[in-house]
Amino acid sequence: MLGANPTANSWSNSGLDLHLLVEPGSGRRVGVEQALREAIRDGRLAAGERLPPSRTLAVELGLSRGTVSAAYDQLIAEGLLIARQGSGTRVAEAVATPGPVTPPIVGSPKPAAPRHNLRAGSPDISRFPTTAWLGAARKALGAAPADAFGYGDPCGRIELRSALADYLGRTRGVRATPDRIIVTTGVQQALALIGTVLTASGTTAIAMEDPYIPSFRDTVRAAGPVVRPLPVDGDGARVNLLGTGEFDGVTAAVVTPSHQFPIGSTLSPARRHYLADWARAGRLVIEDDYDGEFRYDRQPVGAIQGIAPDHVVYLGTASKTLGPGLRLAWMVLPPHLVGPVAEAKRLADHHSETLGQLTLAELITSHAYDRHIRASRLRYRRRRDLLADRLKPRAGRPLTGFALSGIAAGLHALIRLEPAGLTEAEVLSRAREYGLALEGLSGMWLSHEARPDRPQGLVVGFAAPSESAYPAALDALVRALSWSSNPR
């Protein structure tokens, strides 16, 4: 019986699982030698890796200990293995393993990665609150019940939903209870789930701000509805158009009222009330509050959900406050949508990752999340101010032909290019020459056709670079915008 011989099953707790394929037809010792050589040379056994004792490997392979010992001795003689008293047999440090095969270059070589990054959409991930996150994770895991490590509620962990209900009510004016919140892997997944549910209930057309994030539009369209472009101006989305014939059949609208992306405007009070009244007439508003925590020149604008909670889906995310790598976002839903969206979430991926939810819940309830956001707000405001200062015209640096806007809030700004100045294509081309990653406004319209009523511009994300990298990124931006080909 296997369990009767302790030596026979000692391989199961030897500390190293080792898969060796001994070719049939070869001598037993030769076969073990060749299998070990291949494992070393293809990198499966790394330099310095400790091998199982000869007795243990012999039991696993069904061979005699002498056969395995002889194979080890031969590879030691070849310099592939080393044996030291008290430390066992290891792969020699000097063993050279082949590097990855580099395919031949066909056509032009791949361009080098940009040296500077001013793309919008990400915070400074180098300032992720690692210490606070680790502390919260330890506390959360120490208190986690056993069921936290099994399959869970599609709506998300109750700990996080409870923490979010309190936090969103306190900071964003959202009227939420834990049973109305569903945790998702991002705003994009939230839009996909809502689009699927609305399509199943008969929705055929959804209005979305124009310009907006192209991938978000694609997500909604993939769920089924037709997307109708809702124009945006200095007072936010022109929601009064929703009541006109152009939007007949539209029963839902996706908006970014606190800080429109990418224009940067805030929905005016009159339009906020119009939109809420439009929703109360049997329609639905989907409020993307992606960076509502970051306002610099006045108090934060409360969420529209707070004035029409039964007709607004509120979307929030940790991607801008902490980092997109966490894949944590949330929806606050009207009661009639909770069940259908939860079922759509279950069918999509059952539920979001659990450990991050527990950690974020602890971070929020301990108020470490608030402290991190306050510190981030001060840091990003300084960056915004530096951006505005650097773009002022100076002697010898003819910076004209553009205007900076959308900087009262958020993590990005819009540089509108005037018709008499450099074109968007010219600035983006110059930016690439200076190693700067930058996005243009043109690619964010639903239709990419050039029209006189559409300004050209640059969407500048001033949060993404690290503190040390930010000044050099601004230098590259200034050079790209300058009329001079060789600015000092």
Side-chain angles (χ1 to χ4, degrees):
M1 191 167 117
L2 183 62
N5 184 353
T7 302
N9 69 359
S10 62
W11 64 270
S12 66
N13 57 14
S14 67
L16 174 68
D17 285 342
L18 177 59
H19 173 72
L20 292 178
L21 180 61
V22 180
E23 292 293 338
S26 61
R28 291 184 173 185
R29 179 181 62 79
V30 174
V32 175
E33 290 174 15
Q34 187 58 33
L36 285 168
R37 281 193 196 96
E38 291 178 359
I40 292 169
R41 287 173 174 163
D42 67 15
R44 289 186 291 120
L45 279 174
E49 188 74 71
R50 183 173 181 174
L51 272 65
S54 57
R55 183 188 301 275
T56 302
L57 185 57
V59 171
E60 183 174 352
L61 296 177
L63 302 173
S64 70
R65 182 184 181 187
T67 298
V68 175
S69 294
Y72 278 10
D73 290 342
Q74 178 59 34
L75 296 178
I76 290 169
E78 294 176 12
L80 295 176
L81 299 179
I82 56 174
R84 293 195 180 113
Q85 187 70 28
S87 63
T89 304
R90 298 178 181 271
V91 179
E93 294 288 348
V95 173
T97 57
V101 177
T102 302
I105 296 174
V106 178
S108 302
K110 184 178 180 180
R115 298 189 303 276
H116 315 291
N117 179 24
L118 287 177
R119 291 192 186 98
S122 177
D124 178 1
I125 55 177
S126 72
R127 299 301 293 264
F128 182 84
T130 304
T131 301
W133 184 265
L134 286 173
R138 290 190 191 98
K139 187 171 182 180
L141 291 178
D147 66 4
F149 305 99
Y151 290 108
D153 189 337
C155 295
R157 291 296 305 181
I158 187 61
E159 296 91 339
L160 179 56
R161 291 187 286 127
S162 298
L164 285 171
D166 292 340
Y167 172 79
L168 295 174
R170 171 169 55 85
T171 65
R172 304 297 298 126
V174 172
R175 293 163 64 181
T177 53
D179 60 302
R180 291 176 61 168
I181 296 176
I182 292 181
V183 180
T184 68
T185 59
V187 170
Q188 194 154 346
Q189 185 189 48
L191 289 172
L193 297 175
I194 295 166
T196 298
V197 168
L198 292 181
T199 298
S201 65
T203 296
T204 58
I206 292 179
M208 299 185 77
E209 293 174 340
D210 193 31
Y212 190 45
I213 302 172
S215 62
F216 283 12
R217 279 197 301 263
D218 294 342
T219 295
V220 170
R221 285 191 288 200
V226 172
V227 171
R228 301 274 181 84
L230 182 62
V232 176
D233 60 23
D235 287 326
R238 296 177 59 191
V239 295
N240 55 303
L241 296 177
L242 293 172
T244 67
E246 183 180 354
F247 288 88
D248 282 346
V250 171
T251 55
V254 179
V255 293
T256 52
S258 293
H259 186 228
Q260 202 279 330
F261 187 90
I263 298 298
S265 52
T266 298
L267 196 65
S268 69
R271 291 184 183 182
R272 288 166 62 85
H273 288 291
Y274 182 96
L275 184 61
D277 290 342
W278 178 83
R280 291 189 188 101
R283 305 180 185 96
L284 186 71
V285 169
I286 302 163
E287 180 177 12
D288 179 3
D289 193 33
Y290 65 101
D291 66 0
E293 291 89 351
F294 298 110
R295 291 203 69 85
Y296 309 118
D297 298 332
R298 60 182 180 185
Q299 286 292 107
V301 177
I304 289 179
Q305 192 271 358
I307 59 176
D310 292 339
H311 306 279
V312 176
V313 175
Y314 176 89
L315 308 181
T317 178
S319 292
K320 304 300 181 289
T321 54
L322 293 170
L326 294 179
R327 308 314 302 144
L328 284 172
W330 43 86
M331 296 183 275
V332 181
L333 295 158
H336 70 281
L337 286 178
V338 173
V341 175
E343 176 63 7
K345 172 68 174 174
R346 185 187 69 82
L347 294 175
D349 60 5
H350 204 293
H351 63 84
S352 296
E353 182 272 339
T354 298
L355 301 185
Q357 292 187 56
L358 293 174
T359 303
L360 180 57
E362 173 60 31
L363 206 69
I364 292 172
T365 55
S366 68
H367 300 297
Y369 190 62
D370 290 74
R371 291 191 292 273
H372 169 72
I373 288 175
R374 286 196 296 271
S376 299
R377 189 183 297 130
L378 291 173
R379 184 166 61 253
Y380 295 143
R381 177 171 183 164
R382 288 194 295 267
R383 291 193 183 195
R384 181 207 65 166
D385 293 345
L386 182 57
L387 170 67
D389 181 69
R390 291 296 303 277
L391 293 183
K392 292 178 181 177
R394 285 176 171 81
R397 195 185 295 276
L399 286 170
T400 59
F402 64 85
L404 188 65
S405 63
I407 61 173
L411 307 181
H412 79 276
L414 178 66
I415 298 178
R416 292 177 180 262
L417 300 175
E418 298 172 359
L422 295 170
T423 67
E424 184 178 310
E426 288 172 334
V427 177
L428 291 176
S429 176
R430 291 159 66 98
R432 286 190 294 270
E433 291 177 11
Y434 299 132
L436 173 63
L438 195 62
E439 291 179 290
L441 182 60
S442 296
M444 298 184 184
W445 301 96
L446 178 60
S447 169
H448 291 176
E449 63 177 321
R451 289 179 11 192
D453 61 329
R454 290 181 176 174
Q456 294 191 45
L458 309 167
V459 183
V460 179
F462 52 80
S466 65
E467 289 289 315
S468 60
Y470 187 54
L474 289 184
D475 289 342
L477 176 64
V478 169
R479 295 178 71 192
L481 286 167
S482 175
W483 283 89
S484 171
S485 59
N486 294 295
R488 291 188 292 274

